[in-house]
């Protein structure tokens, strides 16, 4: 399958290398980029009708890239860490911040994107409109969400304010990134996890039809930002509600509806995400990492970590850390 796009920015393509592997009908491109203090790695899997792309890197300075679009696309975009900006994606400015997701379509021959964040991780599924339509038309509830886009094809950003990535979505993305299989089984595994992720997103989009009003939404985003800073020692639910001038029932209900997670489910996810980064990227002892993110029991931390990521902390530290890519470099096109 041909890529949906390739990078056009010369400074980037001149400083990256791509390795292609193909087995059992599955094409994989692994690309690494290094320039000064900045580095990034990319992983692209090409399957029938869609492309799975993961980007992970350390970006002390914003990375600005121009993409040469090969064909119109629809995309599910998940910003796990850092931020991505575009001045004119789908005919409008676009920002996807930390912990946010969105769905969009575009037909422009090129796009300019800025990737930001000392630690940057994103996951994207690009697909053809025909493939997307074949999936959505099987469910009447999903059709209600996308009726306008299906009846009037063209560029769009589905959620102007974006939506939170749910814990289930994070887990599915992590399974795709850490796929333990090879050959034909790997292809089947990736297809199955993609379908799980697609179903999860579409169900979430359908639930967002009854979102809180703008004032409540702003309050809930402020609560989430507060939790991002205080995940290690968060106050009680009642104390958080009082701090933000609401009640615990409204806080619980609104947070679940908006972010598809309980308040302390979000805290638990944030703790484990930060712990994974610290273990993968630093030499800090595992027990100190556990304490730093709020776990008082090393055994509890190890159990929760393994349940979340599929590996114990010690194996994450020993394993080489894969870096992934948002698209193919010129070397892929040349190949």
């Amino acid at each position: 399958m041909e890529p949906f796009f390739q990078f056009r920015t010369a400074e980037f393509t001149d400083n990256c290398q791509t390795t292609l592997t193909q087995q059992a009908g599955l094409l994989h491109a692994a690309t690494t980029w290094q320039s000064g203090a900045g580095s990034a790695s990319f992983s692209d899997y090409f399957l029938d009708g869609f492309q799975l792309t993961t980007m992970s890197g350390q970006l002390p300075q914003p990375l600005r890239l121009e993409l040469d679009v090969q064909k119109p696309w629809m995309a599910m975009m998940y910003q796990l860490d850092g931020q991505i900006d575009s001045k004119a994606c789908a005919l409008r400015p676009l920002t996807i911040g930390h912990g946010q997701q969105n769905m969009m379509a575009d037909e422009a021959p090129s796009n300019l994107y800025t990737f930001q964040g000392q630690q940057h991780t994103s996951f994207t599924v690009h697909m053809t409109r025909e493939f997307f339509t074949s999936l959505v038309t099987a469910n009447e509830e999903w059709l209600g969400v996308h009726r306008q886009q299906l009846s009037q094809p063209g560029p769009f950003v589905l959620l102007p304010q974006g939506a939170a990535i749910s814990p289930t979505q994070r887990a599915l993305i992590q399974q795709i990134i850490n796929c333990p299989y090879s050959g034909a089984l790997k292809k089947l595994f990736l297809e199955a996890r993609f379908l799980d992720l697609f179903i999860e997103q579409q169900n979430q989009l359908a639930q967002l039809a009854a979102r809180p009003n703008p004032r409540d939404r702003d309050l809930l985003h402020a609560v989430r930002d507060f939790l991002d800073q205080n995940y290690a020692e968060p106050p009680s639910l009642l104390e958080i509600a009082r701090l933000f001038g609401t009640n615990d029932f409204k806080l619980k209900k609104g947070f679940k509806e908006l972010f598809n997670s309980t308040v302390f489910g979000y805290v638990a996810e944030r703790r484990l995400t930060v712990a994974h980064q610290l273990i993968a990227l630093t030499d800090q002892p595992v027990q100190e990492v556990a304490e730093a993110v709020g776990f008082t029991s090393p055994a509890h931390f190890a159990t929760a970590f393994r349940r979340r990521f599929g590996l114990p902390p010690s194996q994450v530290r020993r394993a080489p850390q894969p870096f992934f890519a948002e698209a193919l470099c010129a070397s892929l096109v040349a190949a």
Side-chain angles (χ1 to χ4, degrees):
M1 177 182 172
E2 295 181 356
F4 282 86
F5 51 86
Q6 60 179 296
F7 287 126
R8 181 183 292 176
T9 306
E11 188 280 333
F12 181 84
T13 57
D14 290 345
N15 292 282
C16 69
Q17 295 180 336
T18 297
T19 301
L20 292 175
T21 56
Q22 185 166 6
Q23 52 179 295
L26 178 64
L27 176 64
H28 178 233
T31 304
T32 58
W33 167 80
Q34 177 78 46
S35 180
S39 64
S41 297
F42 311 84
S43 173
D44 289 278
Y45 288 104
F46 300 91
L47 299 104
D48 294 335
F50 65 101
Q51 173 181 339
L52 304 175
T53 299
T54 311
M55 172 184 179
S56 180
Q58 296 184 3
L59 305 175
Q61 300 295 328
L63 176 62
R64 296 178 176 86
L65 296 176
E66 182 177 7
L67 273 62
D68 184 15
V69 179
Q70 306 295 300
K71 53 189 173 183
W73 51 262
M74 300 188 70
M76 303 156 57
M77 300 185 71
Y78 299 86
Q79 194 63 40
L80 304 175
D81 291 291
Q83 180 173 303
I84 183 172
D85 298 282
S86 175
K87 291 184 177 180
C89 178
L91 304 180
R92 60 176 297 163
L94 171 71
T95 294
I96 303 180
H98 163 78
Q100 292 287 295
Q101 62 165 311
N102 216 319
M103 185 162 198
M104 63 208 66
D106 205 358
E107 301 173 353
S110 65
N111 285 128
L112 289 169
Y113 291 95
T114 300
F115 303 89
Q116 301 184 67
Q118 178 67 37
Q119 181 66 28
H120 187 102
T121 311
S122 61
F123 178 79
T124 309
V125 181
H126 284 83
M127 66 191 88
T128 64
R129 185 177 291 274
E130 293 75 17
F131 181 69
F132 171 78
T133 302
S134 70
L135 296 176
V136 170
T137 51
N139 189 307
E140 181 62 32
E141 188 176 10
W142 299 348
L143 278 175
V145 176
H146 301 289
R147 198 175 305 279
Q148 180 178 349
Q149 288 77 32
L150 294 175
S151 61
Q152 299 177 341
F156 71 85
V157 175
L158 189 63
L159 302 171
Q161 303 301 321
I165 301 172
S166 72
T168 300
Q169 290 169 326
R170 284 184 177 271
L172 290 169
I173 292 169
Q174 199 66 43
Q175 289 178 39
I176 291 173
I177 293 174
N178 295 330
C179 176
Y181 305 109
S182 61
L185 188 57
K186 184 168 191 172
K187 182 174 184 291
L188 292 173
F189 180 88
L190 293 175
E191 290 173 338
R193 295 293 80 75
F194 156 72
L195 289 174
D196 290 339
L197 184 63
F198 185 86
I199 291 169
E200 178 70 15
Q201 187 192 56
Q202 298 311 310
N203 287 338
Q204 182 184 24
L205 292 174
Q207 293 171 3
L208 289 176
R211 300 180 73 174
N213 63 52
R215 185 173 181 178
D216 288 343
R217 187 164 60 246
D218 289 344
L219 181 146
L220 292 168
H221 276 283
V223 170
R224 190 192 64 176
D225 292 342
F226 174 81
L227 296 174
D228 282 341
Q229 300 298 320
N230 297 275
Y231 57 86
E233 297 181 356
S236 69
L237 191 68
L238 186 58
E239 289 172 328
I240 296 173
R242 288 174 177 170
L243 183 64
F244 286 89
T246 185
N247 61 70
D248 57 337
F249 175 79
K250 188 174 182 179
L251 174 59
K252 288 190 296 184
K253 183 175 183 296
F255 198 94
K256 177 69 173 177
E257 289 177 350
L258 185 58
F259 300 119
N260 200 31
S261 172
T262 65
V263 171
F264 289 104
Y266 183 86
V267 168
E269 173 66 22
R270 186 65 181 150
R271 286 175 170 174
L272 291 171
T273 298
V274 173
H276 188 282
Q277 293 175 354
L278 291 173
I279 290 172
L281 300 175
T282 75
D283 295 326
Q284 188 174 357
V286 171
Q287 184 170 346
E288 289 185 11
V289 170
E291 293 173 354
V293 299
F295 283 88
T296 57
S297 166
H300 181 206
F301 170 70
T303 299
F305 191 96
R306 182 163 190 161
R307 184 183 299 118
R308 170 64 178 79
F309 297 109
L311 293 171
S314 58
Q315 288 190 23
V316 170
R317 172 152 288 167
R318 289 201 302 267
Q321 295 303 308
F323 294 125
F324 308 101
E326 184 85 89
L328 299 177
C329 292
S331 54
L332 171 59
V333 177

